[in-house]
Amino acid sequence: MRYLGIDLARSVAVFCVILGHALIGANVSEGGIGLATLRFFLAVSPPVFFCLFGCMLQLVYARQYAAGRATETTQRLLTRSLQCWILYVLTCAAFCIAAGLPVTYFVRCALLLGDTPFTDILKFYAALLLFAPLLVAISVRVGLWPLILFCAAVQAAYPIISQIPPMQGFAGAGTLSAFLYGGEYIGHTGPSILHGLGFVVFGMALGGVWQSRRGRE
């Protein structure tokens, strides 16, 4: 099932994300209040994109799961996760070749242990889609409140989580720490799964509201 409004909003969000990356890549820094205003709206685009992802989980996948197609729904989400990971690996290869980085760093990136500017969103989506069957199952069987309370607890625990030191002992441990929970490591190029999940669950809650307005696209 397609939702025209969400598809259009997602297209606009993707365009704004790409435009924001282009401005950063071109090192555009001077433009007065006009550019500052544009940067503000562009910065909102990634969270909006994550919320729209949550909306689709609730409106499409949760509905299919509740209709008795749990196995099919899970397979679709895991397949999407694999597709995002493969695309991420391809972008890592292009990045490492263009930057003259060694093969060992490419392997680290493929194992989610490296930073790749502008493309970490694919890594984020690969991970979120991997956990998506669990989110959908909880939403259908229990409801959204456990997920909402968990995300609220994560935000409330910021003073504690922000002080958790990075993992140690292997190359890329700091990057993996930032990707999973953030903590003290602030040099990461994308959102942590623990905190980014809040936007996805918020989107699922919006999807739940829209589900109660059937026929009002």
Side-chain angles (χ1 to χ4, degrees):
M1 185 175 183
R2 307 296 301 183
Y3 290 87
L4 179 60
I6 293 179
D7 287 342
L8 289 175
R10 188 162 47 189
S11 298
V12 172
V14 170
F15 174 79
C16 290
V17 169
I18 294 173
L19 179 58
H21 286 172
L23 290 175
I24 295 174
N27 198 26
V28 177
S29 58
E30 296 183 3
I33 190 172
L35 181 60
T37 303
L38 176 61
R39 284 186 181 279
F40 172 79
F41 284 103
L42 295 179
V44 175
S45 299
V48 169
F49 201 61
F50 300 151
C51 289
L52 292 174
F53 170 65
C55 288
M56 295 306 293
L57 283 183
Q58 188 67 22
L59 290 172
V60 177
Y61 294 98
R63 181 176 297 176
Q64 293 176 349
Y65 190 99
R69 298 197 293 269
T71 301
E72 177 186 345
T73 301
T74 300
Q75 289 177 344
R76 284 185 60 190
L77 289 169
L78 294 181
T79 299
R80 293 286 180 86
S81 175
L82 179 61
Q83 289 173 341
C84 282
W85 178 78
I86 291 174
L87 288 173
Y88 175 69
V89 170
L90 291 175
T91 61
C92 290
F95 170 70
C96 290
I97 292 173
L101 297 173
V103 176
T104 52
Y105 189 75
F106 164 73
V107 174
R108 278 178 54 187
C109 290
L111 295 176
L112 311 184
L113 300 176
D115 285 315
T116 49
F118 307 142
T119 59
D120 267 2
I121 191 171
L122 287 172
K123 178 169 69 172
F124 179 82
Y125 264 99
L128 259 295
L129 283 164
L130 186 64
F131 291 114
L134 177 60
L135 300 179
V136 170
I138 293 175
S139 171
V140 173
R141 296 179 181 180
V142 183
L144 286 171
W145 282 110
L147 297 175
I148 294 174
L149 291 175
F150 173 78
C151 292
V154 169
Q155 299 301 321
Y158 172 77
I160 299 174
I161 296 176
S162 62
Q163 299 303 313
I164 300 176
M167 291 183 284
Q168 304 289 337
F170 56 92
T175 299
L176 182 61
S177 301
F179 180 56
L180 294 177
Y181 60 84
E184 290 182 353
Y185 194 79
I186 60 174
H188 191 52
T189 56
S192 73
I193 295 176
L194 185 63
H195 295 87
L197 181 63
F199 291 112
V200 177
V201 172
F202 178 75
M204 293 178 72
L206 284 180
V209 172
W210 292 338
Q211 274 184 326
S212 65
R213 294 169 54 85
R214 296 183 182 278
R216 300 184 181 182
E217 170 72 14

